[in-house]
Amino acid sequence: MNRYYDLVDLQVLLAVAEENNLSRGAMRCNLAPSSVSVRLKGLEEAIGARLLVREARGVALTPAGRILVEHAKKCFAQLDQMHVDLLPYARGITGNVTLFASDNAMSFLPDDLAVFFKRNPSTRVTLEERPSADIVAAVAAGRAPLGIVAFETEHPDLEYLPYRQDELVLLVPRDHDLGQRKEVPFVSCLSEPFICLAHGNALHTYLISHAAKLGAVLDVRVQVSGYRAIAQLVAAGAGVGVIPRSTVVSSDLQTLAVVKLSDPWAIRDLRICRNPRILGNSFSDDLVEVLCTSAARDLQNDADAATPITVAAVDTAVTESSNRSTSATRFPDRELRLIVPMASGGGADICMRMMLPTLQALWGHDVFVDNRAGGTGAVGLAAAKTSRPDGYTVVLCTASHAALQATRTVQPYDLLKDFEPVGQMTSTPYVLVVNPNVPVRTIADVIKLSNQNKDGLVFSSAGVGSMQALAGLLLASRGHARLLHVPYTGGGPAVAAVLSGQVDMVFATRFEAQPYIKSGKLRAIAVTSLQRMDNSPDLPTVAESGLPGFEVSQFYGLLAPAGTPRVAIETINKKVSAALQSPDLVKRYGKEGVQVVTSNPQEFRAFLASHITRFKPLASEDTDALGATAT
């Protein structure tokens, strides 16, 4: 091939081939026959083969010409589809989110998607219904950012968040003996012929396993491809079936009886799954937030419904303080939601999850992490701010949030007014790490190379205004380095960007970076504390590497919504402090360079106020630099 050819050349070839005539093909393309001849000759020279041969009635394709025409048709079909896909964006759509969901999750999604579209009116959602096992495989492989699955579809690389609860119910004909009862155990229907989903389906396997535990064999008479087919066959008298209640439609109730299964395993959790190693976008993060909010709301409603109504609760003569006192005596009596306002996989997320088992044992109920990434924590903190102040929602607060409050004039929250401080938890420095392909080994090398490169070096962070961004700003200003800042939605994505080579370096916590430092996928340059870390004595500090006094550290603490009862605040503080001071956790944190620092609510309020004051000078000096990002 000795020259390039373009789409017009291919369009000319297609027209001539379909017309079997050069002149008619030229007319279809609105070109002169001589121009068509020149283009076809140039195309043959570019391909290096004859494409057309003359015949008595016109022209015909050679074998090479037929191959090129088939590929050209596919090419133009893909271009047509591209224009279809791009059309919404031409009409103002700014983002797309793909969500795979199991069939029984579909009935819950319309209300949640309506909320999502109100918040993101210029976003399109591609929603696909698939079996849970296929969803897990797709999300794990990176073919979809999010999925909603049912049953025990676990994958070690995925993160799972609670969504809704569904229950399995028995479908029988209306005139069936079992149809006259409101609730039955699974064992009572094992003598009936069953209509099930195809063999290998998660529900099919689930029912067979529970029948085996009861010493019975499920009598599967018919296997079908969907829940609607099960309902239709049950209505026709072919047998009985078990399906999720969410898949029952109103028309079924005319011919079928829907009977509750009394077995505890009939209550099934629907869960959101996502791959923390795959970088999402702000729209997928916001969709997760909407879905998790609905899940938390349902959990709250279920807890409220389960709380027995006492005489005192309805007695109008009982004062508000008395009610609060009565509630406090039962605290805690249900699960605790810990909002982490960063993406999963980052240092804050890992730190909290390491504490969960110990805290959960002390709490006496489930404790679950709710990741709300976006806006350098603004999304998660805003969600916590509007949560019910009942002591069952807390949010992680970091030094980055204190810095942002000091340097930004507009924030959707005020750390000292909209929240009740619970207590500090940890303090940790950052480690400057680079991609191994970046030829630097010291801070001096970083500064030198950044000034030698035309575009400098690129560093990532957990978001605009984060402590990682501040560390990069300080290195640039004090070391006279040329650094370009690219913010992400959390520490995990920021580290992933360095691993993939999208950016050159990042100031990361040891939680985030240590596994990759050990495996050689990242190279550690220096630590941001004033003293070397005990677990990495050979790693120099930035301060001793030519920038005296350089120190940037991160702290983690907890806040609760303003108005949370004082008794609840103190209880959370005591249980979290006890969890943090467990010898095993102190040892595990210490290996990662994290120091446990606990405080009472009053001490943490003073600590936050002092940090906000400390960062105030940045508002007048370097706010613009702190917010400068790559676009």
Side-chain angles (χ1 to χ4, degrees):
M1 297 184 184
N2 55 19
R3 82 171 184 91
Y4 293 105
Y5 55 93
D6 56 28
L7 292 177
V8 176
D9 295 333
L10 295 180
Q11 287 175 326
V12 167
L13 176 63
L14 283 175
V16 171
E18 290 174 0
E19 295 291 343
N20 292 323
N21 185 281
L22 190 145
S23 296
R24 289 198 298 269
M27 291 178 62
R28 280 184 53 176
C29 296
N30 198 26
L31 293 173
S34 58
S35 297
V36 169
S37 297
V38 171
R39 281 190 173 273
L40 290 176
K41 183 178 180 181
L43 184 58
E44 287 180 334
E45 291 177 354
I47 297 298
R50 289 289 301 276
L51 302 176
L52 293 167
V53 293
R54 291 188 178 276
E55 292 184 339
R57 295 184 178 181
V59 294
L61 291 169
T62 65
R66 286 194 293 271
I67 291 174
L68 183 57
V69 164
E70 289 303 314
H71 283 289
K73 288 179 179 179
K74 294 178 182 178
C75 174
F76 286 115
Q78 290 177 339
L79 285 173
D80 290 341
Q81 184 61 47
M82 178 188 74
H83 289 301
V84 171
D85 292 340
L86 290 176
L87 182 60
Y89 297 94
R91 294 175 176 173
I93 295 296
T94 58
N96 181 71
V97 180
T98 300
L99 174 64
F100 290 175
S102 59
D103 43 12
N104 54 326
M106 287 294 186
S107 61
F108 297 107
L109 284 170
D111 291 341
D112 293 335
L113 290 179
V115 174
F116 175 74
F117 286 131
K118 287 181 180 178
R119 293 169 52 162
N120 301 276
S122 298
T123 305
R124 183 176 66 173
V125 174
T126 301
L127 179 62
E128 294 189 27
E129 179 182 320
R130 296 194 181 186
S132 292
D134 292 352
I135 295 172
V136 168
V139 176
R143 296 194 299 272
L146 299 173
I148 300 179
V149 298
F151 301 102
E152 284 78 5
T153 44
E154 298 285 350
H155 193 287
D157 293 336
L158 299 186
E159 173 192 30
Y160 292 88
L161 302 171
Y163 179 48
R164 301 292 184 95
Q165 276 193 338
D166 202 354
E167 65 173 333
L168 300 177
V169 294
L170 177 68
L171 288 186
V172 296
R174 271 199 169 276
D175 57 355
H176 196 286
D177 291 342
L178 292 174
Q180 311 308 310
R181 300 164 62 179
K182 293 183 178 180
E183 185 174 338
V184 298
F186 182 56
V187 68
S188 67
C189 58
L190 288 177
S191 60
E192 302 290 335
F194 264 78
I195 302 164
C196 285
L197 297 178
H199 184 73
N201 176 274
L203 177 56
H204 187 147
T205 305
Y206 195 63
L207 295 177
I208 289 176
S209 66
H210 280 285
K213 291 177 182 178
L214 295 170
V217 176
L218 202 65
D219 181 11
V220 180
R221 297 292 179 88
V222 184
Q223 297 184 42
V224 297
S225 60
Y227 294 126
R228 299 303 313 129
I230 292 178
Q232 291 168 355
L233 288 170
V234 171
V240 302
V242 172
I243 68 174
R245 184 180 290 277
S246 61
T247 64
V248 177
V249 298
S250 57
S251 59
D252 293 337
L253 303 180
Q254 300 174 7
T255 55
L256 299 173
V258 181
V259 184
K260 178 181 176 65
L261 289 175
S262 59
D263 305 77
W265 52 262
I267 304 297
R268 305 305 308 148
D269 289 326
L270 297 175
R271 297 179 299 167
I272 304 163
C273 66
R274 61 182 179 182
N275 193 333
R277 300 179 183 179
I278 305 297
L279 296 180
N281 56 42
S282 60
F283 300 110
S284 61
D285 290 340
D286 196 50
L287 180 56
V288 170
E289 179 187 343
V290 170
L291 298 177
C292 287
T293 299
S294 72
R297 183 177 60 248
D298 281 358
L299 287 171
Q300 177 64 56
N301 292 339
D302 292 344
D304 291 344
T307 303
I309 300 177
T310 63
V311 174
V314 296
D315 187 352
T316 55
V318 178
T319 64
E320 181 180 351
S321 61
S322 176
N323 280 335
R324 288 183 177 177
S325 176
T326 302
S327 175
T329 62
R330 299 194 304 266
F331 187 86
D333 62 356
R334 56 185 173 84
E335 68 283 335
L336 175 69
R337 178 172 63 141
L338 170 53
I339 296 177
V340 175
M342 300 90 171
S344 60
D349 182 65
I350 297 171
C351 184
M352 295 303 100
R353 292 182 187 277
M354 286 179 66
M355 180 186 66
L356 277 192
T358 307
L359 177 59
Q360 190 162 283
L362 293 169
W363 189 257
H365 302 276
D366 288 342
V367 179
F368 66 93
V369 170
D370 182 1
N371 292 94
R372 301 292 188 92
T376 319
V379 172
L381 285 161
K385 170 185 171 181
T386 57
S387 296
R388 184 180 299 180
D390 55 7
Y392 294 101
T393 296
V394 291
V395 62
L396 182 68
C397 171
T398 73
S400 299
H401 304 140
L404 280 172
Q405 178 154 330
T407 57
R408 285 185 177 176
T409 56
V410 178
Q411 281 285 86
Y413 59 83
D414 186 302
L415 297 178
L416 300 177
K417 295 180 181 178
D418 296 324
F419 298 97
E420 299 288 348
V422 175
Q424 187 178 352
M425 304 168 66
T426 65
S427 177
T428 180
Y430 288 107
V431 178
L432 176 61
V433 292
V434 300
N435 185 290
N437 293 325
V438 180
V440 298
R441 294 188 176 276
T442 65
I443 290 293
D445 291 342
V446 171
I447 296 172
K448 181 179 179 180
L449 183 62
S450 73
N451 286 295
Q452 289 176 342
N453 288 352
K454 178 181 178 181
D455 297 323
L457 293 177
V458 183
F459 76 98
S460 57
S461 78
V464 175
S466 65
M467 294 304 292
Q468 293 167 311
L470 174 61
L473 169 65
L474 291 178
L475 179 59
S477 61
R478 297 187 57 184
H480 304 289
R482 297 183 62 188
L483 302 179
L484 180 66
H485 176 211
V486 179
Y488 288 82
T489 58
V495 171
V498 181
L499 290 168
S500 65
Q502 297 176 28
V503 300
D504 299 310
M505 62 186 195
V506 64
F507 286 90
T509 64
R510 287 296 293 259
F511 277 124
E512 298 160 340
Q514 187 61 21
Y516 306 111
I517 295 174
K518 287 184 177 180
S519 64
K521 294 180 179 179
L522 292 177
R523 180 186 302 130
I525 302 298
V527 64
T528 62
S529 55
L530 288 176
Q531 303 294 329
R532 295 194 180 196
M533 301 172 69
D534 293 338
N535 57 352
S536 301
D538 296 331
L539 187 63
T541 66
V542 179
E544 70 181 79
S545 301
L547 300 177
F550 187 105
E551 180 186 15
V552 178
S553 61
Q554 180 65 280
F555 69 77
Y556 298 148
L558 290 180
L559 304 173
T564 300
R566 176 55 51 187
V567 172
I569 295 290
E570 293 174 353
T571 301
I572 298 170
N573 176 274
K574 290 179 181 178
K575 292 185 181 296
V576 170
S577 296
L580 290 169
Q581 291 169 354
S582 66
D584 179 63
L585 194 58
V586 171
K587 183 178 179 180
R588 292 176 66 191
Y589 277 171
K591 288 182 178 179
E592 305 297 339
V594 177
Q595 179 185 4
V596 172
V597 181
T598 59
S599 63
N600 62 39
Q602 295 75 26
E603 291 170 340
F604 189 44
R605 175 178 287 278
F607 178 82
L608 274 178
S610 67
H611 268 67
I612 292 172
T613 302
R614 173 190 170 194
F615 292 124
K616 281 288 186 184
L618 288 174
S620 58
E621 296 176 6
D622 290 316
T623 301
D624 292 337
L626 189 62
T629 62
T631 58

